[in-house]
PDB file of all heavy atoms in Angstrom:
ATOM      1  N   PRO A  89       2.127 -20.369 -14.693  1.00  0.00           N
ATOM      2  CA  PRO A  89       1.870 -20.249 -16.120  1.00  0.00           C
ATOM      3  C   PRO A  89       0.469 -20.207 -16.636  1.00  0.00           C
ATOM      4  O   PRO A  89       0.131 -19.564 -17.654  1.00  0.00           O
ATOM      5  CB  PRO A  89       2.590 -21.484 -16.671  1.00  0.00           C
ATOM      6  CG  PRO A  89       3.617 -21.852 -15.724  1.00  0.00           C
ATOM      7  CD  PRO A  89       2.998 -21.486 -14.373  1.00  0.00           C
ATOM      8  N   ALA A  90      -0.489 -20.704 -15.819  1.00  0.00           N
ATOM      9  CA  ALA A  90      -1.868 -20.718 -16.114  1.00  0.00           C
ATOM     10  C   ALA A  90      -2.452 -19.225 -16.052  1.00  0.00           C
ATOM     11  O   ALA A  90      -3.453 -18.855 -16.603  1.00  0.00           O
ATOM     12  CB  ALA A  90      -2.685 -21.534 -15.139  1.00  0.00           C
ATOM     13  N   ASP A  91      -1.680 -18.295 -15.372  1.00  0.00           N
ATOM     14  CA  ASP A  91      -2.039 -16.936 -15.319  1.00  0.00           C
ATOM     15  C   ASP A  91      -1.805 -16.077 -16.590  1.00  0.00           C
ATOM     16  O   ASP A  91      -2.317 -15.012 -16.670  1.00  0.00           O
ATOM     17  CB  ASP A  91      -1.455 -16.344 -14.116  1.00  0.00           C
ATOM     18  CG  ASP A  91      -1.913 -16.758 -12.814  1.00  0.00           C
ATOM     19  OD1 ASP A  91      -3.032 -16.667 -12.373  1.00  0.00           O
ATOM     20  OD2 ASP A  91      -1.220 -17.415 -12.076  1.00  0.00           O
ATOM     21  N   ILE A  92      -0.893 -16.686 -17.389  1.00  0.00           N
ATOM     22  CA  ILE A  92      -0.342 -15.777 -18.415  1.00  0.00           C
ATOM     23  C   ILE A  92      -1.382 -15.441 -19.486  1.00  0.00           C
ATOM     24  O   ILE A  92      -1.500 -14.311 -19.909  1.00  0.00           O
ATOM     25  CB  ILE A  92       0.852 -16.525 -19.037  1.00  0.00           C
ATOM     26  CG1 ILE A  92       2.011 -16.606 -17.989  1.00  0.00           C
ATOM     27  CG2 ILE A  92       1.377 -15.629 -20.290  1.00  0.00           C
ATOM     28  CD1 ILE A  92       3.219 -17.459 -18.562  1.00  0.00           C
ATOM     29  N   SER A  93      -2.294 -16.310 -19.881  1.00  0.00           N
ATOM     30  CA  SER A  93      -3.128 -16.116 -21.005  1.00  0.00           C
ATOM     31  C   SER A  93      -4.521 -15.930 -20.742  1.00  0.00           C
ATOM     32  O   SER A  93      -5.422 -16.003 -21.588  1.00  0.00           O
ATOM     33  CB  SER A  93      -2.954 -17.290 -22.090  1.00  0.00           C
ATOM     34  OG  SER A  93      -3.345 -18.429 -21.382  1.00  0.00           O
ATOM     35  N   ILE A  94      -4.866 -15.666 -19.424  1.00  0.00           N
ATOM     36  CA  ILE A  94      -6.294 -15.587 -19.100  1.00  0.00           C
ATOM     37  C   ILE A  94      -6.746 -14.131 -19.016  1.00  0.00           C
ATOM     38  O   ILE A  94      -5.944 -13.255 -18.650  1.00  0.00           O
ATOM     39  CB  ILE A  94      -6.576 -16.248 -17.650  1.00  0.00           C
ATOM     40  CG1 ILE A  94      -5.813 -15.538 -16.546  1.00  0.00           C
ATOM     41  CG2 ILE A  94      -6.237 -17.688 -17.778  1.00  0.00           C
ATOM     42  CD1 ILE A  94      -6.314 -15.964 -15.171  1.00  0.00           C
ATOM     43  N   PRO A  95      -7.907 -13.874 -19.444  1.00  0.00           N
ATOM     44  CA  PRO A  95      -8.471 -12.482 -19.277  1.00  0.00           C
ATOM     45  C   PRO A  95      -8.832 -12.067 -17.921  1.00  0.00           C
ATOM     46  O   PRO A  95      -9.041 -12.967 -17.157  1.00  0.00           O
ATOM     47  CB  PRO A  95      -9.835 -12.478 -20.260  1.00  0.00           C
ATOM     48  CG  PRO A  95     -10.202 -13.912 -20.064  1.00  0.00           C
ATOM     49  CD  PRO A  95      -8.931 -14.798 -20.009  1.00  0.00           C
ATOM     50  N   GLU A  96      -8.900 -10.781 -17.602  1.00  0.00           N
ATOM     51  CA  GLU A  96      -9.257 -10.255 -16.207  1.00  0.00           C
ATOM     52  C   GLU A  96     -10.687 -10.597 -15.999  1.00  0.00           C
ATOM     53  O   GLU A  96     -11.539 -10.443 -16.866  1.00  0.00           O
ATOM     54  CB  GLU A  96      -8.862  -8.834 -16.103  1.00  0.00           C
ATOM     55  CG  GLU A  96      -7.495  -8.436 -16.178  1.00  0.00           C
ATOM     56  CD  GLU A  96      -6.657  -8.949 -14.907  1.00  0.00           C
ATOM     57  OE1 GLU A  96      -7.259  -8.945 -13.829  1.00  0.00           O
ATOM     58  OE2 GLU A  96      -5.574  -9.315 -15.119  1.00  0.00           O
ATOM     59  N   PRO A  97     -10.998 -10.849 -14.710  1.00  0.00           N
ATOM     60  CA  PRO A  97     -12.503 -11.126 -14.462  1.00  0.00           C
ATOM     61  C   PRO A  97     -13.180  -9.683 -14.364  1.00  0.00           C
ATOM     62  O   PRO A  97     -12.523  -8.736 -14.348  1.00  0.00           O
ATOM     63  CB  PRO A  97     -12.354 -11.696 -12.956  1.00  0.00           C
ATOM     64  CG  PRO A  97     -11.182 -11.101 -12.448  1.00  0.00           C
ATOM     65  CD  PRO A  97     -10.218 -11.015 -13.597  1.00  0.00           C
ATOM     66  N   PRO A  98     -14.545  -9.630 -14.429  1.00  0.00           N
ATOM     67  CA  PRO A  98     -15.170  -8.327 -14.297  1.00  0.00           C
ATOM     68  C   PRO A  98     -14.772  -7.559 -12.969  1.00  0.00           C
ATOM     69  O   PRO A  98     -14.387  -8.367 -11.965  1.00  0.00           O
ATOM     70  CB  PRO A  98     -16.595  -8.750 -14.264  1.00  0.00           C
ATOM     71  CG  PRO A  98     -16.682 -10.081 -14.981  1.00  0.00           C
ATOM     72  CD  PRO A  98     -15.372 -10.770 -14.642  1.00  0.00           C
ATOM     73  N   GLU A  99     -14.930  -6.373 -12.916  1.00  0.00           N
ATOM     74  CA  GLU A  99     -14.520  -5.586 -11.620  1.00  0.00           C
ATOM     75  C   GLU A  99     -15.663  -5.707 -10.671  1.00  0.00           C
ATOM     76  O   GLU A  99     -16.816  -5.993 -10.969  1.00  0.00           O
ATOM     77  CB  GLU A  99     -14.281  -4.176 -11.987  1.00  0.00           C
ATOM     78  CG  GLU A  99     -13.048  -3.884 -12.880  1.00  0.00           C
ATOM     79  CD  GLU A  99     -12.936  -2.374 -13.026  1.00  0.00           C
ATOM     80  OE1 GLU A  99     -13.834  -1.832 -13.758  1.00  0.00           O
ATOM     81  OE2 GLU A  99     -12.003  -1.759 -12.591  1.00  0.00           O
ATOM     82  N   PHE A 100     -15.265  -5.604  -9.312  1.00  0.00           N
ATOM     83  CA  PHE A 100     -16.049  -5.472  -8.227  1.00  0.00           C
ATOM     84  C   PHE A 100     -16.842  -6.752  -7.855  1.00  0.00           C
ATOM     85  O   PHE A 100     -17.909  -6.698  -7.388  1.00  0.00           O
ATOM     86  CB  PHE A 100     -17.042  -4.274  -8.313  1.00  0.00           C
ATOM     87  CG  PHE A 100     -16.390  -3.021  -8.711  1.00  0.00           C
ATOM     88  CD1 PHE A 100     -16.617  -2.391 -10.053  1.00  0.00           C
ATOM     89  CD2 PHE A 100     -15.346  -2.392  -7.970  1.00  0.00           C
ATOM     90  CE1 PHE A 100     -15.928  -1.181 -10.418  1.00  0.00           C
ATOM     91  CE2 PHE A 100     -14.880  -1.216  -8.249  1.00  0.00           C
ATOM     92  CZ  PHE A 100     -15.221  -0.585  -9.510  1.00  0.00           C
ATOM     93  N   LEU A 101     -16.291  -7.800  -8.100  1.00  0.00           N
ATOM     94  CA  LEU A 101     -16.901  -9.112  -7.824  1.00  0.00           C
ATOM     95  C   LEU A 101     -16.628  -9.452  -6.411  1.00  0.00           C
ATOM     96  O   LEU A 101     -15.647  -9.209  -5.833  1.00  0.00           O
ATOM     97  CB  LEU A 101     -16.400 -10.256  -8.741  1.00  0.00           C
ATOM     98  CG  LEU A 101     -16.676 -10.201 -10.240  1.00  0.00           C
ATOM     99  CD1 LEU A 101     -16.020 -11.407 -10.852  1.00  0.00           C
ATOM    100  CD2 LEU A 101     -18.113  -9.993 -10.556  1.00  0.00           C
ATOM    101  N   PRO A 102     -17.621 -10.123  -5.732  1.00  0.00           N
ATOM    102  CA  PRO A 102     -17.348 -10.708  -4.383  1.00  0.00           C
ATOM    103  C   PRO A 102     -16.177 -11.682  -4.502  1.00  0.00           C
ATOM    104  O   PRO A 102     -16.024 -12.327  -5.577  1.00  0.00           O
ATOM    105  CB  PRO A 102     -18.610 -11.410  -3.988  1.00  0.00           C
ATOM    106  CG  PRO A 102     -19.736 -10.641  -4.780  1.00  0.00           C
ATOM    107  CD  PRO A 102     -19.001 -10.401  -6.108  1.00  0.00           C
ATOM    108  N   PRO A 103     -15.390 -11.787  -3.427  1.00  0.00           N
ATOM    109  CA  PRO A 103     -14.170 -12.685  -3.552  1.00  0.00           C
ATOM    110  C   PRO A 103     -14.511 -14.135  -4.012  1.00  0.00           C
ATOM    111  O   PRO A 103     -13.650 -14.666  -4.719  1.00  0.00           O
ATOM    112  CB  PRO A 103     -13.580 -12.574  -2.031  1.00  0.00           C
ATOM    113  CG  PRO A 103     -14.041 -11.293  -1.554  1.00  0.00           C
ATOM    114  CD  PRO A 103     -15.453 -11.028  -2.128  1.00  0.00           C
ATOM    115  N   ASP A 104     -15.506 -14.742  -3.510  1.00  0.00           N
ATOM    116  CA  ASP A 104     -15.730 -16.128  -3.855  1.00  0.00           C
ATOM    117  C   ASP A 104     -16.116 -16.301  -5.349  1.00  0.00           C
ATOM    118  O   ASP A 104     -15.595 -17.120  -5.981  1.00  0.00           O
ATOM    119  CB  ASP A 104     -16.835 -16.743  -2.972  1.00  0.00           C
ATOM    120  CG  ASP A 104     -18.179 -15.924  -3.031  1.00  0.00           C
ATOM    121  OD1 ASP A 104     -18.154 -14.841  -3.635  1.00  0.00           O
ATOM    122  OD2 ASP A 104     -19.176 -16.461  -2.407  1.00  0.00           O
ATOM    123  N   ILE A 105     -16.880 -15.322  -5.905  1.00  0.00           N
ATOM    124  CA  ILE A 105     -17.211 -15.352  -7.274  1.00  0.00           C
ATOM    125  C   ILE A 105     -15.915 -14.946  -8.235  1.00  0.00           C
ATOM    126  O   ILE A 105     -15.613 -15.532  -9.155  1.00  0.00           O
ATOM    127  CB  ILE A 105     -18.345 -14.356  -7.626  1.00  0.00           C
ATOM    128  CG1 ILE A 105     -19.615 -14.864  -6.985  1.00  0.00           C
ATOM    129  CG2 ILE A 105     -18.570 -14.287  -9.153  1.00  0.00           C
ATOM    130  CD1 ILE A 105     -20.842 -13.871  -7.117  1.00  0.00           C
ATOM    131  N   ASN A 106     -15.150 -13.989  -7.691  1.00  0.00           N
ATOM    132  CA  ASN A 106     -13.909 -13.527  -8.353  1.00  0.00           C
ATOM    133  C   ASN A 106     -13.016 -14.796  -8.515  1.00  0.00           C
ATOM    134  O   ASN A 106     -12.497 -15.053  -9.578  1.00  0.00           O
ATOM    135  CB  ASN A 106     -13.335 -12.390  -7.663  1.00  0.00           C
ATOM    136  CG  ASN A 106     -12.184 -11.825  -8.415  1.00  0.00           C
ATOM    137  OD1 ASN A 106     -12.311 -11.116  -9.331  1.00  0.00           O
ATOM    138  ND2 ASN A 106     -10.921 -12.135  -7.973  1.00  0.00           N
ATOM    139  N   ASN A 107     -12.798 -15.438  -7.466  1.00  0.00           N
ATOM    140  CA  ASN A 107     -11.864 -16.567  -7.407  1.00  0.00           C
ATOM    141  C   ASN A 107     -12.346 -17.698  -8.232  1.00  0.00           C
ATOM    142  O   ASN A 107     -11.594 -18.397  -9.092  1.00  0.00           O
ATOM    143  CB  ASN A 107     -11.657 -17.130  -6.054  1.00  0.00           C
ATOM    144  CG  ASN A 107     -10.856 -16.124  -5.151  1.00  0.00           C
ATOM    145  OD1 ASN A 107     -10.177 -15.219  -5.691  1.00  0.00           O
ATOM    146  ND2 ASN A 107     -11.005 -16.240  -3.807  1.00  0.00           N
TER     147      ASN A 107
END
Side-chain angles (χ1 to χ4, degrees):
D91 293 291
I92 295 174
S93 59
I94 65 170
E96 291 294 322
E99 292 183 293
F100 309 116
L101 299 182
D104 52 356
I105 297 178
N106 187 75
N107 292 338

